[in-house]
């Protein structure tokens, strides 16, 4: 398997045709998986926002006040307002905002980014990253994974995860297959799109590299059942349920 960045992509602006920009720079094969950082999907989709255009409501002001009290740092209630608007649930109010985005991904600050955004204060995640992936996949004729860099519970450090995908299943299901001793596998559903996203993120980096699109060539999904379940529902998410019970001291 080979993982390489598409070279020389420009700064992406609202309305840019990402698929054409990629196709002009790399000869894709139909089974390449094209991993695209959500940052540039959002820029192309015009998901930028300026705080001057935001009015904070009562809830956002209360959330920002609480955050400020807990962290001792100034928090802009207008930022809290945008986070709330992008979210369908607020899982943690302190010491940071952990929310579920409207499309189901749980992340800090609804994934709103302030790095690599030259012409606005904020960059929101794509509204529907799987729809974005589907459109790109149709144009490119390849599977597509939309990625974001994201923290994780239990471990320090961030890594790439898939927030949208098209043209391949999210996971491969090993259940019912056998290990080397002939024992039947009972639980393993491997989140392939997250693994591809992590590999792509490793090549993209986080800073000024200018490499938001990464091609994974010769990845073999193999002969396995696929699944598109990636975001856990509240009912089968024990960590989330525990968080809902917990109050920051
Ligand atoms: P995120 O993980 O989706 O939040 O994206 P990052 O901000 O971490 O950026 C991932 C990669 O894309 C880095 O190599 C950035 O330098 C690069 N990048 C971000 N925006 C642009 C852009 O508009 N054009 C190009 N060419 N690279 C960009
Ligand atoms: Mn991001
Ligand atoms: Mn990143
Ligand atoms: Mn193992």
């Amino acid at each position: 398997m080979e993982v390489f960045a598409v070279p020389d992509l420009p700064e992406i602006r609202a309305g840019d045709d990402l698929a054409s920009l990629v196709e002009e720079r790399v000869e894709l094969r139909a089974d390449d998986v094209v991993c695209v950082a959500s940052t540039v999907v959002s820029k192309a989709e015009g998901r930028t926002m300026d705080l001057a255009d935001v009015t904070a409501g009562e809830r956002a002001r209360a959330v920002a006040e609480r955050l400020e009290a807990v962290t001792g740092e100034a928090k802009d209630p207008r930022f809290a307002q945008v986070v709330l608007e992008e979210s369908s649930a607020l899982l943690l109010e302190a010491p940071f905002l952990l929310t579920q985005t409207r499309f189901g991904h749980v992340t800090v600050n609804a994934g709103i980014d302030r790095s690599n955004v030259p012409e606005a204060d904020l960059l929101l995640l794509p509204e529907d990253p799987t729809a974005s992936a589907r459109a790109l996949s149709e144009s490119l004729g390849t599977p597509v994974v939309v990625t974001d860099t994201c923290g994780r519970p239990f471990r320090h450090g961030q890594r790439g995860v898939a927030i949208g995908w098209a043209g391949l299943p999210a996971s491969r299901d090993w259940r019912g297959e056998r290990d080397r001793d002939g024992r039947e596998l009972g639980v393993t559903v491997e989140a392939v799109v997250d693994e591809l996203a992590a590999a792509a993120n490793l090549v993209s980096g986080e800073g000024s590299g200018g490499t938001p699109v990464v091609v994974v060539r010769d990845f073999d999904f193999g002969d396995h059942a696929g699944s598109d379940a990636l975001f856990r529902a509240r009912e089968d998410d024990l960590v989330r349920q525990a968080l809902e019970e917990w109050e920051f001291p």
Side-chain angles (χ1 to χ4, degrees):
M1 191 176 100
E2 205 187 330
V3 185
F4 60 91
V6 175
D8 304 323
L9 283 164
E11 179 64 32
I12 304 301
R13 300 209 154 74
D16 280 353
D17 180 351
L18 270 182
S20 300
L21 290 169
V22 169
E23 278 174 321
E24 286 160 12
R25 289 167 173 78
V26 62
E27 196 75 43
L28 290 174
R29 302 180 190 165
D31 63 346
D32 286 340
V33 182
V34 178
C35 300
V36 188
S38 52
T39 290
V40 293
V41 175
S42 293
K43 284 179 180 174
E45 294 178 357
R47 296 275 288 159
T48 50
M49 196 164 232
D50 287 313
L51 287 170
D53 300 330
V54 179
T55 309
E58 198 177 315
R59 179 89 173 97
R61 290 200 303 271
V63 163
E65 222 165 84
R66 171 100 201 279
L67 262 179
E68 202 165 304
V70 167
T71 64
E73 286 164 30
K75 297 290 168 185
D76 193 325
R78 297 169 303 173
F79 180 74
Q81 177 69 31
V82 183
V83 172
L84 293 177
E85 282 171 12
E86 288 299 299
S87 304
S88 59
L90 181 54
L91 277 59
L92 259 188
E93 283 189 46
F96 51 83
L97 301 178
L98 183 71
T99 78
Q100 179 171 40
T101 65
R102 297 196 177 277
F103 62 88
H105 168 55
V106 173
T107 189
V108 174
N109 291 335
I112 296 170
D113 219 319
R114 282 169 283 196
S115 66
N116 289 320
V117 196
E119 277 158 8
D121 295 335
L122 308 176
L123 186 64
L124 316 187
L125 287 180
E127 198 168 344
D128 181 351
T130 285
S132 310
R134 208 174 290 132
L136 283 167
S137 174
E138 273 162 23
S139 303
L140 294 170
T142 67
V144 168
V145 177
V146 174
T147 71
D148 194 21
T149 308
C150 207
R152 58 233 175 120
F154 308 115
R155 304 168 80 91
H156 286 295
Q158 286 95 44
R159 52 75 180 94
V161 296
I163 60 169
W165 60 95
L168 82 171
S171 302
R172 58 183 173 194
D173 191 344
W174 293 85
R175 291 174 299 178
E177 298 190 33
R178 304 212 168 257
D179 74 1
R180 288 160 62 84
D181 301 317
R183 184 175 302 137
E184 192 173 307
L185 300 173
V187 291
T188 307
V189 180
E190 183 188 10
V192 165
V193 287
D194 278 340
E195 295 177 310
L196 292 166
N201 201 92
L202 200 55
V203 171
S204 277
E206 304 297 340
S208 60
T211 47
V213 182
V214 168
V215 177
V216 179
R217 179 157 289 170
D218 289 329
F219 163 65
D220 183 11
F221 189 90
D223 184 20
H224 306 272
S227 154
D228 271 324
L230 192 66
F231 306 128
R232 274 190 194 279
R234 190 193 162 280
E235 301 76 58
D236 75 342
D237 193 333
L238 296 180
V239 175
R240 179 169 174 177
Q241 287 171 32
L243 272 181
E244 287 171 358
E245 302 285 308
W246 186 72
E247 273 286 320
F248 188 79

